[in-house]
Amino acid sequence: RPLFHGSTEMEQLNRIFKLCGTPTTLPTSLQSVPTKQYPRQVKKTFEKYGIHECDLLDKMLLLDPQKRITATEILEHPYFTTSPLPLLPEQ
């Protein structure tokens, strides 16, 4: 099931902003789009899945690409070295 399933572009943006928080600055192409100000809810929404899972998802869903976790940092995240360990592809 998609995390941000929307049937229109506005609905899609609204779902992203509800979870990730409304950005303080928008690209020129979105500046005319009316948006409500939402606080960031990623950790609160996914805290039941565990501290490492929630932290990794929170870092992956940062809207600012300069602050978002890189692929290398993802692979070094404690999620991948904390029990229960992920299965190998053949498992």
Side-chain angles (χ1 to χ4, degrees):
R1 179 175 79 150
L3 186 57
F4 302 115
H5 179 67
S7 57
T8 66
E9 286 183 28
M10 274 308 302
E11 186 180 354
Q12 190 83 29
L13 284 173
N14 198 39
R15 288 176 184 263
I16 292 169
F17 294 163
K18 276 184 178 180
L19 182 66
C20 298
T22 306
T24 54
T25 58
L26 291 171
T28 306
S29 60
L30 295 176
Q31 287 179 357
S32 63
V33 174
T35 59
K36 183 179 174 188
Q37 294 296 309
Y38 294 104
R40 189 163 177 79
Q41 300 288 324
V42 177
K43 286 188 175 183
K44 183 178 178 183
T45 302
F46 295 99
E47 65 187 354
K48 63 185 173 191
Y49 295 106
I51 191 167
H52 295 302
E53 294 83 350
C54 182
D55 182 63
L56 180 57
L57 188 58
D58 186 55
K59 290 175 179 176
M60 290 170 62
L61 291 176
L62 284 171
L63 297 178
D64 184 344
Q66 299 300 318
K67 295 178 182 176
R68 192 177 308 133
I69 193 170
T70 66
T72 301
E73 292 169 331
I74 288 170
L75 294 174
E76 295 169 354
H77 192 274
Y79 170 75
F80 292 104
T81 57
T82 306
S83 186
L85 296 175
L87 294 174
L88 297 173
E90 61 270 8
Q91 295 174 322

